[in-house]
Amino acid sequence: MSSILGTARVGEAVGGPVGGRARPRSRRTTSWSGWLFALPALVMYVVFVLRPIVTAFQYSFYDWDGITASEFVGIENYRRVLTEPELLGTIGHSFFLIIFFTLIPVTGGLLIAALLQELKLRGLVTTARTLLFLPQIIPGAAAAIAWVWMFSSNGAVNQLLRAIGLESLTRAWLGDFTWALPSVGVIGSWLGLGFCTILLISGMGKIDGSIYEAARLDGAGFFNTFRSVTLPGLRHEIGVCVTITIIAALASFDIVLMSTQGGPGSSTMVPGVLIYQLGFTESRVGLASAVGIVLTVLILAVILPIQRFFREV
């Protein structure tokens, strides 16, 4: 009895757990410690992410050249963005690029990953991973410059067309009003295909191999196995690929700026390049901020339902 009382007194003396009453204090201490560790990151997030967004939202209601006094214009900048064909067309170009930045890389990545899984040649898989990942280590601006050379009148693309007897199709692809935007999309497809393929190959590694064996024993062919086993097992990875590539299409900047600068005319102009030109070349900070806010809202309106869809399927 005396030893029990002694232990209880020692516990009270040092503030330790006596009858479990000290646990909430320990939890509060742990919680505050966690916030203290997260505080530097939160400060950086507020200063470099939230504050610029709030500032851009404020600027979007003004007519300001960045130097002289600003003039409050209300929602005039937003009205121009949503009604003027030249500004609204840039958003349409971004949605068109989704075909090349998202649809082609994700579909192609799925097929390549499934074929590599079917072949099961380790050396081939390793070589394919290396070759497909190479575009990811090249900056987008450098890739755009390389493709400018290949799409030129005497570039590799036209030389290939002449070699196979299709000289009538040759043209300056990035200078053609009809083909400039699809040509920019091809650059995005080339950059996105490797990323999607590598991510999907990694996702296939977590699918139990016995499921594929059971499908083969049941007589399922390549396409039935792909539809019934591979696609359901990769739904989360597909969601990540779709999300990242759609954001890359809607917020594209470096590829377009380095390859066409929005031309010829405005046939390849996208919101990212338009914001740069309005804000830094034409000194129309208010209108550039309005385009940026509209672009942010559009990206959220597209991405959030997609995220919810892939969580529920």
Side-chain angles (χ1 to χ4, degrees):
M1 177 66 75
S2 62
S3 70
I4 295 174
L5 292 175
T7 304
R9 291 192 186 98
V10 170
E12 292 174 356
V14 299
V18 179
R21 285 180 296 178
R23 286 182 180 176
R25 183 187 301 174
S26 175
R27 288 175 183 172
R28 284 197 299 271
T29 304
T30 304
S31 176
W32 279 110
S33 300
W35 281 108
L36 285 175
F37 279 114
L39 184 60
L42 288 174
V43 171
M44 298 291 284
Y45 184 80
V46 170
V47 172
F48 292 105
V49 178
L50 294 183
R51 184 176 178 276
I53 293 175
V54 173
T55 304
F57 184 70
Q58 178 189 359
Y59 289 165
S60 67
F61 295 102
Y62 288 85
D63 181 12
W64 186 39
D65 61 4
I67 299 175
T68 59
S70 59
E71 178 186 358
F72 182 76
V73 294
I75 61 171
E76 174 62 20
N77 289 327
Y78 289 100
R79 188 197 64 77
R80 294 185 60 186
V81 173
L82 298 176
T83 57
E84 291 189 7
E86 185 179 353
L87 300 179
L88 198 59
T90 62
I91 298 174
H93 292 162
S94 290
F95 277 95
F96 178 78
L97 288 178
I98 290 177
I99 298 173
F100 295 90
F101 280 60
T102 302
L103 187 61
I104 293 176
V106 174
T107 306
L110 274 171
L111 291 176
I112 294 173
L115 285 172
L116 292 175
Q117 170 71 19
E118 186 72 13
L119 294 174
K120 283 188 173 178
L121 297 176
R122 185 168 183 79
L124 179 61
V125 173
T126 305
T127 304
R129 281 181 176 177
T130 304
L131 292 176
L132 290 169
F133 197 70
L134 274 179
Q136 293 301 309
I137 63 175
I138 302 174
I145 293 173
W147 277 95
V148 167
W149 294 337
M150 287 193 284
F151 277 134
S152 65
S153 300
N154 295 318
V157 174
N158 284 332
Q159 289 180 18
L160 177 63
L161 289 174
R162 292 190 187 100
I164 60 177
L166 298 175
E167 187 171 359
S168 60
L169 299 179
T170 59
R171 67 197 70 217
W173 296 92
L174 292 173
D176 189 287
F177 279 86
T178 302
W179 291 99
L181 190 59
S183 301
V184 171
V186 169
I187 304 174
S189 298
W190 181 73
L191 288 172
L193 180 63
F195 166 75
C196 292
T197 305
I198 296 301
L199 184 61
L200 294 171
I201 289 175
S202 302
M204 292 181 71
K206 73 177 185 181
I207 301 176
D208 192 348
S210 62
I211 301 177
Y212 286 103
E213 293 295 333
R216 291 191 185 92
L217 291 175
D218 288 340
F222 171 77
F223 289 104
N224 285 332
T225 305
F226 178 74
R227 178 173 56 86
S228 303
V229 178
T230 304
L231 276 182
L234 292 176
R235 61 185 183 278
H236 295 301
E237 286 76 11
I238 295 173
V240 173
C241 288
V242 170
T243 301
I244 292 177
T245 53
I246 284 181
I247 292 174
L250 295 179
S252 56
F253 174 73
D254 52 353
I255 294 175
V256 179
L257 183 69
M258 298 304 296
S259 60
T260 65
Q261 296 185 351
S266 60
S267 59
T268 62
M269 184 61 72
V270 292
V273 178
L274 181 64
I275 293 169
Y276 172 78
Q277 290 190 352
L278 289 174
F280 295 97
T281 305
E282 301 177 14
S283 299
R284 290 192 284 177
V285 178
L287 187 57
S289 300
V291 176
I293 294 297
V294 170
L295 178 63
T296 303
V297 173
L298 273 177
I299 291 175
L300 291 175
V302 172
I303 293 303
L304 292 180
I306 291 175
Q307 287 283 294
R308 183 173 182 178
F309 171 76
F310 280 102
R311 277 199 304 267
E312 293 178 351
V313 295

